[in-house]
Amino acid sequence: MRPLRLALLFGVLLAVAQQQVLLRRPPRLLTLEQAAASSGPAALNLRFSRPMDPASVAAGTRLEPRLRFDLQGGGNPLLLLPGQGQRLVTPLRLQLEGDDRRGLPMEPALWQWDPRAHLLAVVPVGSGEQVQVQQGNGAWTALSPVWSSISEIEPLGDGSGVGVVSRDDQGRHQVWRLNLQERNLERVAAINTPLRPDLGRVQQKGIDRFVSEPLQYAQLSTNRQGDLLVQSTPLTQGPERLVQWFRSGGRRRHDIEASGPVAMLPGGGELIVPEREGLSLRTLPPREPRRQVLPGSRDLSSFCPVAGRALLVRHWPDFRRSLELVEPGQAPRPLWIGTAGLVASACSRGGERVWALLIEGIAEPRLILLALDRNGAVLQRRELTGWELEPGTGLHYDPTGERLLLTLRRQELDNTRIGGGPPRRREAQPALIDPFTLELTLIDKPVRQAQWLPAG
């Protein structure tokens, strides 16, 4: 028995010695990943070899150019969020330092990070259309084949891809998922290391088709997990289908009847479903089935970056429309009401600032952009003289770069006539709008529609 006891004692001593060695080793940064934060796409998830002291990490961390940031979490993992009200217009250099809860310092970690959203567009190419992305250096890169036409694009909420609805010359639709790859994080040896030229560059890494059969129509929605919701009707006049296409490739069909376009909540796990009684909020499996209804004739207009906030358009019997802000546990808050056409909206992180795009007048329609506060007070008003909104497009907000995006077309007609036919209209182009001054900056690129692709 004595050799056995000695062996057991040796094993215990070895385990204690190993434990002491591990306890004396400095903490390490195990992973640094882009995170889909509820307040916007600019966030990093930090995971360490042991729990850290958040105050120490916050004190030892720097972002260059110098930016304020918040550090959330109890110690491991931690979430790094650049502070609100700051525009990220260049790639960042990140220096991470700090102590664990025992006071042991971690080895400094130096990174380069490009969290900026990219401009994504459907571009006319020859006799067809193609999905293209604008890289950080301003150059445009093709992400898709050239299809006859593209009726919809839906950037996935985690930046991992783009949902596309293509249409052929016979009116048959197909749904595709463009899988994208972006290297927007890179570890470096020194904080002053020159930025890699292709940091943040987006490229395609594959295309998946939703179904092989042609569709009569298709409508897309996404969440921050990168899932794609496909609402479609087969060309054979079968019943409408509602299928959740997971980022991992799996699928789940939802037996839900809707009277209009269904949307996924950005946080995931729930759907907004138009019904005859109003808008309903429905949970998704594996959660217990639950249905809440907001009565009245309302349409979903847009989501705010902070979870649970959204803008609704309400239709009144006297043909007026109103814009409402919805927040968790509160009745819809009216922000604007009038007879003008309310064609698009967007809101800041928690709805502190809201933008409404209106069309006023019938014989000579005018495009009006309003900036409102969360109580409906008009902060700014700008008439976009000489411009009209490209049909089927909306107003899109980038919370990382603090920019609004429209797809605009000049109202003027070209003097050029082909064969004596009608005048040829100018191509639409992306328009960037400062959300605080409403100043307009046009991008010289012919497009059919444009949206923001969040960093992935």
Side-chain angles (χ1 to χ4, degrees):
M1 296 293 292
R2 186 174 180 179
L4 179 59
R5 290 175 181 173
L6 290 175
L8 292 175
L9 179 60
F10 177 78
V12 171
L13 293 175
L14 181 61
V16 171
Q18 289 176 337
Q19 184 182 36
Q20 293 301 314
V21 170
L22 291 175
L23 287 174
R24 285 175 170 79
R25 288 182 59 184
R28 294 173 295 119
L29 177 68
L30 297 181
T31 58
L32 183 68
E33 297 175 332
Q34 181 90 13
S38 62
S39 59
L44 288 175
N45 190 37
L46 290 67
R47 188 173 295 277
F48 303 90
S49 59
R50 66 170 64 103
M52 303 293 290
D53 176 14
S56 174
V57 177
T61 297
R62 298 286 185 274
L63 283 174
E64 297 291 343
R66 187 61 62 90
L67 290 176
R68 294 179 288 102
F69 63 89
D70 299 319
L71 205 61
Q72 301 177 1
N76 195 22
L78 295 174
L79 186 69
L80 188 149
L81 287 162
Q84 298 186 22
Q86 302 176 112
R87 299 186 183 188
L88 306 186
V89 297
T90 63
L92 304 174
R93 291 179 172 90
L94 171 66
Q95 179 176 345
L96 284 171
E97 294 186 34
D99 302 337
D100 65 10
R101 291 178 178 174
R102 301 178 69 245
L104 294 177
M106 66 173 284
E107 181 181 352
L110 305 175
W111 293 77
Q112 293 178 351
W113 176 33
D114 191 351
R116 297 175 298 170
H118 292 270
L119 185 58
L120 189 73
V122 174
V123 179
V125 177
S127 59
E129 297 175 355
Q130 184 180 56
V131 181
Q132 296 185 10
V133 65
Q134 188 181 40
Q135 307 287 2
N137 60 4
W140 288 84
T141 300
L143 296 179
S144 77
V146 176
W147 287 299
S148 295
S149 67
I150 297 174
S151 57
E152 183 181 1
I153 57 173
E154 183 70 23
L156 301 186
D158 64 347
S160 65
V162 182
V164 181
V165 180
S166 66
R167 182 179 181 274
D168 64 17
D169 296 333
Q170 286 74 45
R172 298 173 300 185
H173 293 78
Q174 289 281 359
V175 176
W176 312 83
R177 184 175 61 193
L178 307 180
N179 302 308
L180 305 180
Q181 185 176 45
E182 179 183 0
R183 292 184 60 187
N184 60 349
L185 277 170
E186 181 182 55
R187 190 157 188 170
V188 295
I191 194 66
N192 58 352
T193 301
L195 289 172
R196 183 163 57 88
D198 61 344
L199 184 67
R201 180 178 176 83
V202 178
Q203 61 185 14
Q204 186 221 104
K205 64 173 185 178
I207 302 178
D208 298 325
R209 184 163 61 175
F210 180 64
V211 291
S212 58
E213 63 176 321
L215 302 171
Q216 184 178 357
Y217 94 99
Q219 173 85 24
L220 306 179
S221 179
T222 186
N223 59 21
R224 292 194 184 96
Q225 286 72 49
D227 300 336
L228 186 66
L229 185 72
V230 181
Q231 185 178 5
S232 64
T233 299
L235 201 62
T236 56
Q237 299 294 329
E240 184 178 80
R241 302 170 184 169
L242 192 64
V243 179
Q244 185 175 356
W245 191 0
F246 296 101
R247 179 183 175 181
S248 60
R251 303 184 189 188
R252 177 184 291 138
R253 182 167 179 172
H254 302 293
D255 295 323
I256 296 176
E257 293 186 3
S259 61
V262 179
M264 303 184 75
L265 257 65
E270 294 174 298
L271 300 178
I272 293 184
V273 182
E275 301 180 13
R276 293 181 180 179
E277 299 89 346
L279 284 179
S280 71
L281 183 65
R282 298 199 180 196
T283 57
L284 294 175
R287 298 173 60 183
E288 290 293 327
R290 186 180 178 185
R291 175 175 174 266
Q292 303 177 63
V293 178
L294 179 63
S297 179
R298 289 180 169 91
D299 298 324
L300 173 67
S301 183
S302 59
F303 288 109
C304 301
V306 170
R309 276 77 171 176
L311 295 175
L312 306 179
V313 176
R314 184 170 186 178
H315 305 272
W316 295 90
D318 59 359
F319 302 104
R320 293 182 301 166
R321 299 173 182 87
S322 62
L323 184 65
E324 301 175 332
L325 175 64
V326 177
E327 300 177 280
Q330 299 184 27
R333 176 184 301 175
L335 301 177
W336 173 90
I337 187 168
T339 57
L342 180 56
V343 293
S345 71
C347 49
S348 64
R349 298 175 186 260
E352 295 82 8
R353 187 177 290 251
V354 172
W355 301 273
L357 191 64
L358 312 176
I359 296 181
E360 295 182 349
I362 299 177
E364 296 182 1
R366 294 171 293 132
L367 199 59
I368 308 294
L369 181 61
L370 295 180
L372 311 168
D373 67 13
R374 63 182 300 105
N375 296 315
V378 178
L379 303 175
Q380 283 146 321
R381 182 183 189 275
R382 172 159 186 184
E383 182 173 339
L384 302 177
T385 306
W387 294 96
E388 60 185 19
L389 184 69
E390 179 71 4
T393 64
L395 178 63
H396 307 284
Y397 173 62
D398 168 25
T400 302
E402 294 280 6
R403 298 173 294 177
L404 293 168
L405 173 64
L406 284 171
T407 306
L408 299 179
R409 181 194 299 271
R410 288 196 179 275
Q411 288 181 330
E412 294 88 0
L413 300 178
D414 283 340
N415 295 325
T416 304
R417 295 175 180 266
I418 301 176
R424 185 176 59 196
R425 301 176 68 85
R426 296 179 186 271
E427 294 281 8
Q429 56 190 118
L432 303 180
I433 299 177
D434 187 294
F436 304 105
T437 65
L438 302 189
E439 292 182 4
L440 190 71
T441 302
L442 297 169
I443 296 178
D444 188 17
K445 177 75 172 179
V447 301
R448 299 286 188 259
Q449 54 180 300
Q451 291 197 43
W452 293 118
L453 173 68

Short mmCIF file of all heavy atoms in Angstrom, two decimals, residues 92-127:
data_model
loop_
_atom_site.label_atom_id
_atom_site.label_comp_id
_atom_site.label_asym_id
_atom_site.label_seq_id
_atom_site.Cartn_x
_atom_site.Cartn_y
_atom_site.Cartn_z
N LEU A 92 -8.96 52.29 -36.48
CA LEU A 92 -8.50 52.61 -35.13
C LEU A 92 -7.32 51.73 -34.74
O LEU A 92 -7.18 50.60 -35.22
CB LEU A 92 -9.63 52.39 -34.12
CG LEU A 92 -10.93 53.16 -34.37
CD1 LEU A 92 -11.99 52.73 -33.37
CD2 LEU A 92 -10.70 54.65 -34.29
N ARG A 93 -6.47 52.28 -33.86
CA ARG A 93 -5.42 51.50 -33.21
C ARG A 93 -5.85 51.29 -31.77
O ARG A 93 -6.23 52.23 -31.08
CB ARG A 93 -4.08 52.22 -33.30
CG ARG A 93 -3.51 52.28 -34.72
CD ARG A 93 -2.18 53.03 -34.74
NE ARG A 93 -1.53 52.94 -36.03
CZ ARG A 93 -1.72 53.79 -37.02
NH1 ARG A 93 -2.56 54.80 -36.85
NH2 ARG A 93 -1.08 53.66 -38.16
N LEU A 94 -5.75 50.05 -31.32
CA LEU A 94 -6.24 49.68 -30.00
C LEU A 94 -5.09 49.12 -29.17
O LEU A 94 -4.39 48.20 -29.60
CB LEU A 94 -7.36 48.63 -30.14
CG LEU A 94 -7.85 47.96 -28.86
CD1 LEU A 94 -8.54 48.98 -27.95
CD2 LEU A 94 -8.81 46.83 -29.20
N GLN A 95 -4.91 49.67 -27.97
CA GLN A 95 -3.91 49.17 -27.03
C GLN A 95 -4.65 48.68 -25.79
O GLN A 95 -5.36 49.43 -25.13
CB GLN A 95 -2.93 50.27 -26.65
CG GLN A 95 -1.88 49.82 -25.64
CD GLN A 95 -0.85 50.90 -25.35
OE1 GLN A 95 -0.75 51.87 -26.08
NE2 GLN A 95 -0.10 50.72 -24.28
N LEU A 96 -4.47 47.38 -25.47
CA LEU A 96 -5.15 46.75 -24.34
C LEU A 96 -4.14 46.42 -23.24
O LEU A 96 -3.15 45.75 -23.48
CB LEU A 96 -5.85 45.45 -24.78
CG LEU A 96 -7.14 45.58 -25.58
CD1 LEU A 96 -7.56 44.22 -26.11
CD2 LEU A 96 -8.25 46.17 -24.72
N GLU A 97 -4.43 46.92 -22.05
CA GLU A 97 -3.64 46.58 -20.87
C GLU A 97 -4.60 46.48 -19.68
O GLU A 97 -5.74 46.90 -19.75
CB GLU A 97 -2.58 47.65 -20.59
CG GLU A 97 -1.49 47.74 -21.64
CD GLU A 97 -0.39 48.71 -21.24
OE1 GLU A 97 -0.10 48.79 -20.02
OE2 GLU A 97 0.16 49.37 -22.12
N GLY A 98 -4.10 45.92 -18.57
CA GLY A 98 -4.91 45.82 -17.37
C GLY A 98 -4.48 44.66 -16.50
O GLY A 98 -3.65 43.82 -16.89
N ASP A 99 -5.04 44.60 -15.29
CA ASP A 99 -4.71 43.57 -14.31
C ASP A 99 -5.90 42.64 -14.10
O ASP A 99 -7.06 43.02 -14.31
CB ASP A 99 -4.36 44.22 -12.96
CG ASP A 99 -3.19 45.20 -13.08
OD1 ASP A 99 -2.40 45.06 -14.05
OD2 ASP A 99 -3.09 46.08 -12.23
N ASP A 100 -5.59 41.42 -13.68
CA ASP A 100 -6.68 40.52 -13.30
C ASP A 100 -7.09 40.85 -11.86
O ASP A 100 -6.60 41.80 -11.23
CB ASP A 100 -6.27 39.05 -13.47
CG ASP A 100 -5.14 38.64 -12.53
OD1 ASP A 100 -4.81 39.41 -11.61
OD2 ASP A 100 -4.59 37.54 -12.72
N ARG A 101 -8.00 40.06 -11.31
CA ARG A 101 -8.55 40.36 -9.98
C ARG A 101 -7.54 40.14 -8.87
O ARG A 101 -7.75 40.59 -7.74
CB ARG A 101 -9.80 39.52 -9.75
CG ARG A 101 -10.96 39.95 -10.62
CD ARG A 101 -12.18 39.08 -10.42
NE ARG A 101 -13.30 39.54 -11.23
CZ ARG A 101 -14.46 38.88 -11.34
NH1 ARG A 101 -14.63 37.73 -10.65
NH2 ARG A 101 -15.43 39.36 -12.08
N ARG A 102 -6.42 39.45 -9.16
CA ARG A 102 -5.37 39.24 -8.18
C ARG A 102 -4.27 40.28 -8.31
O ARG A 102 -3.27 40.23 -7.61
CB ARG A 102 -4.79 37.84 -8.31
CG ARG A 102 -5.82 36.73 -8.13
CD ARG A 102 -5.24 35.35 -8.31
NE ARG A 102 -4.33 35.02 -7.23
CZ ARG A 102 -3.03 34.82 -7.35
NH1 ARG A 102 -2.46 34.96 -8.55
NH2 ARG A 102 -2.27 34.52 -6.31
N GLY A 103 -4.44 41.22 -9.26
CA GLY A 103 -3.46 42.28 -9.44
C GLY A 103 -2.34 41.94 -10.39
O GLY A 103 -1.40 42.73 -10.54
N LEU A 104 -2.40 40.79 -11.07
CA LEU A 104 -1.35 40.42 -12.03
C LEU A 104 -1.62 41.10 -13.37
O LEU A 104 -2.72 40.99 -13.92
CB LEU A 104 -1.30 38.91 -12.21
CG LEU A 104 -0.87 38.09 -10.98
CD1 LEU A 104 -0.94 36.60 -11.30
CD2 LEU A 104 0.53 38.49 -10.53
N PRO A 105 -0.63 41.81 -13.93
CA PRO A 105 -0.85 42.51 -15.19
C PRO A 105 -0.77 41.56 -16.39
O PRO A 105 0.01 40.61 -16.40
CB PRO A 105 0.28 43.54 -15.23
CG PRO A 105 1.38 42.89 -14.45
CD PRO A 105 0.71 42.08 -13.36
N MET A 106 -1.59 41.85 -17.40
CA MET A 106 -1.51 41.10 -18.64
C MET A 106 -0.48 41.74 -19.56
O MET A 106 -0.15 42.94 -19.43
CB MET A 106 -2.87 41.06 -19.34
CG MET A 106 -3.36 42.42 -19.84
SD MET A 106 -4.86 42.32 -20.85
CE MET A 106 -4.17 41.69 -22.38
N GLU A 107 0.05 40.95 -20.46
CA GLU A 107 0.97 41.49 -21.45
C GLU A 107 0.19 42.40 -22.38
O GLU A 107 -0.89 42.04 -22.87
CB GLU A 107 1.61 40.36 -22.25
CG GLU A 107 2.60 40.83 -23.29
CD GLU A 107 3.18 39.68 -24.09
OE1 GLU A 107 2.92 38.52 -23.71
OE2 GLU A 107 3.89 39.95 -25.08
N PRO A 108 0.68 43.62 -22.66
CA PRO A 108 -0.05 44.54 -23.55
C PRO A 108 -0.33 43.89 -24.91
O PRO A 108 0.52 43.19 -25.47
CB PRO A 108 0.88 45.74 -23.68
CG PRO A 108 1.73 45.69 -22.44
CD PRO A 108 1.91 44.23 -22.13
N ALA A 109 -1.53 44.13 -25.40
CA ALA A 109 -1.94 43.62 -26.71
C ALA A 109 -2.25 44.80 -27.61
O ALA A 109 -2.99 45.72 -27.22
CB ALA A 109 -3.17 42.71 -26.57
N LEU A 110 -1.71 44.81 -28.81
CA LEU A 110 -1.86 45.90 -29.76
C LEU A 110 -2.58 45.40 -31.00
O LEU A 110 -2.21 44.38 -31.58
CB LEU A 110 -0.49 46.47 -30.13
CG LEU A 110 0.39 46.92 -28.96
CD1 LEU A 110 1.77 47.33 -29.46
CD2 LEU A 110 -0.27 48.06 -28.20
N TRP A 111 -3.61 46.15 -31.41
CA TRP A 111 -4.44 45.73 -32.54
C TRP A 111 -4.74 46.93 -33.42
O TRP A 111 -4.73 48.07 -32.98
CB TRP A 111 -5.75 45.12 -32.05
CG TRP A 111 -5.59 43.82 -31.33
CD1 TRP A 111 -5.17 43.65 -30.04
CD2 TRP A 111 -5.85 42.52 -31.84
NE1 TRP A 111 -5.15 42.31 -29.72
CE2 TRP A 111 -5.56 41.59 -30.80
CE3 TRP A 111 -6.30 42.03 -33.06
CZ2 TRP A 111 -5.73 40.22 -30.97
CZ3 TRP A 111 -6.46 40.67 -33.23
CH2 TRP A 111 -6.17 39.78 -32.20
N GLN A 112 -5.07 46.61 -34.67
CA GLN A 112 -5.67 47.57 -35.58
C GLN A 112 -7.09 47.09 -35.88
O GLN A 112 -7.33 45.90 -36.08
CB GLN A 112 -4.87 47.68 -36.88
CG GLN A 112 -3.49 48.30 -36.66
CD GLN A 112 -2.68 48.37 -37.94
OE1 GLN A 112 -3.06 47.81 -38.97
NE2 GLN A 112 -1.55 49.06 -37.89
N TRP A 113 -8.03 48.04 -35.92
CA TRP A 113 -9.46 47.69 -36.01
C TRP A 113 -10.15 48.68 -36.93
O TRP A 113 -10.03 49.89 -36.76
CB TRP A 113 -10.05 47.73 -34.61
CG TRP A 113 -11.53 47.50 -34.51
CD1 TRP A 113 -12.29 46.69 -35.29
CD2 TRP A 113 -12.42 48.07 -33.55
NE1 TRP A 113 -13.60 46.72 -34.90
CE2 TRP A 113 -13.70 47.55 -33.83
CE3 TRP A 113 -12.26 48.96 -32.48
CZ2 TRP A 113 -14.83 47.90 -33.07
CZ3 TRP A 113 -13.37 49.31 -31.73
CH2 TRP A 113 -14.64 48.78 -32.02
N ASP A 114 -10.89 48.15 -37.90
CA ASP A 114 -11.68 49.00 -38.79
C ASP A 114 -13.15 48.63 -38.64
O ASP A 114 -13.63 47.68 -39.27
CB ASP A 114 -11.24 48.82 -40.25
CG ASP A 114 -11.85 49.87 -41.16
OD1 ASP A 114 -12.73 50.62 -40.70
OD2 ASP A 114 -11.45 49.95 -42.35
N PRO A 115 -13.91 49.35 -37.80
CA PRO A 115 -15.31 49.01 -37.56
C PRO A 115 -16.29 49.74 -38.48
O PRO A 115 -17.51 49.67 -38.27
CB PRO A 115 -15.51 49.46 -36.12
CG PRO A 115 -14.63 50.67 -36.00
CD PRO A 115 -13.46 50.44 -36.93
N ARG A 116 -15.80 50.44 -39.49
CA ARG A 116 -16.67 51.28 -40.30
C ARG A 116 -17.58 50.45 -41.21
O ARG A 116 -17.20 49.41 -41.74
CB ARG A 116 -15.83 52.23 -41.17
CG ARG A 116 -14.98 53.21 -40.38
CD ARG A 116 -14.10 54.00 -41.30
NE ARG A 116 -13.15 53.15 -42.03
CZ ARG A 116 -12.39 53.57 -43.03
NH1 ARG A 116 -12.48 54.83 -43.42
NH2 ARG A 116 -11.55 52.74 -43.61
N ALA A 117 -18.82 50.94 -41.37
CA ALA A 117 -19.75 50.30 -42.31
C ALA A 117 -19.32 50.63 -43.73
O ALA A 117 -18.70 51.66 -44.00
CB ALA A 117 -21.17 50.79 -42.05
N HIS A 118 -19.67 49.73 -44.66
CA HIS A 118 -19.36 49.91 -46.07
C HIS A 118 -20.63 50.28 -46.84
O HIS A 118 -21.74 49.87 -46.47
CB HIS A 118 -18.78 48.62 -46.67
CG HIS A 118 -17.43 48.27 -46.14
ND1 HIS A 118 -16.26 48.71 -46.71
CD2 HIS A 118 -17.06 47.52 -45.07
CE1 HIS A 118 -15.23 48.25 -46.03
NE2 HIS A 118 -15.69 47.52 -45.04
N LEU A 119 -20.44 51.02 -47.90
CA LEU A 119 -21.55 51.37 -48.79
C LEU A 119 -21.78 50.22 -49.76
O LEU A 119 -20.87 49.81 -50.49
CB LEU A 119 -21.24 52.66 -49.53
CG LEU A 119 -22.35 53.24 -50.41
CD1 LEU A 119 -23.61 53.50 -49.60
CD2 LEU A 119 -21.87 54.51 -51.09
N LEU A 120 -22.99 49.70 -49.75
CA LEU A 120 -23.38 48.56 -50.59
C LEU A 120 -24.42 49.06 -51.59
O LEU A 120 -25.32 49.82 -51.21
CB LEU A 120 -23.96 47.45 -49.72
CG LEU A 120 -24.24 46.10 -50.35
CD1 LEU A 120 -22.94 45.36 -50.61
CD2 LEU A 120 -25.14 45.28 -49.44
N ALA A 121 -24.32 48.62 -52.84
CA ALA A 121 -25.22 49.16 -53.86
C ALA A 121 -25.53 48.11 -54.92
O ALA A 121 -24.75 47.19 -55.17
CB ALA A 121 -24.61 50.40 -54.51
N VAL A 122 -26.70 48.29 -55.53
CA VAL A 122 -27.05 47.58 -56.76
C VAL A 122 -26.70 48.52 -57.91
O VAL A 122 -27.21 49.64 -58.00
CB VAL A 122 -28.54 47.21 -56.80
CG1 VAL A 122 -28.91 46.60 -58.15
CG2 VAL A 122 -28.87 46.25 -55.67
N VAL A 123 -25.81 48.06 -58.79
CA VAL A 123 -25.22 48.92 -59.81
C VAL A 123 -25.62 48.40 -61.20
O VAL A 123 -25.54 47.20 -61.46
CB VAL A 123 -23.68 48.94 -59.68
CG1 VAL A 123 -23.05 49.81 -60.75
CG2 VAL A 123 -23.29 49.43 -58.29
N PRO A 124 -26.05 49.29 -62.11
CA PRO A 124 -26.31 48.85 -63.48
C PRO A 124 -25.01 48.48 -64.18
O PRO A 124 -24.04 49.25 -64.18
CB PRO A 124 -26.98 50.08 -64.13
CG PRO A 124 -26.54 51.24 -63.30
CD PRO A 124 -26.34 50.72 -61.91
N VAL A 125 -24.98 47.29 -64.78
CA VAL A 125 -23.81 46.81 -65.52
C VAL A 125 -24.31 46.24 -66.84
O VAL A 125 -24.97 45.20 -66.87
CB VAL A 125 -23.04 45.73 -64.73
CG1 VAL A 125 -21.88 45.19 -65.56
CG2 VAL A 125 -22.53 46.28 -63.41
N GLY A 126 -23.99 46.93 -67.94
CA GLY A 126 -24.49 46.49 -69.24
C GLY A 126 -26.00 46.49 -69.25
O GLY A 126 -26.66 47.47 -68.91
N SER A 127 -26.58 45.34 -69.61
CA SER A 127 -28.04 45.22 -69.64
C SER A 127 -28.59 44.60 -68.36
O SER A 127 -29.77 44.28 -68.29
CB SER A 127 -28.47 44.36 -70.84
OG SER A 127 -27.88 43.05 -70.75
#
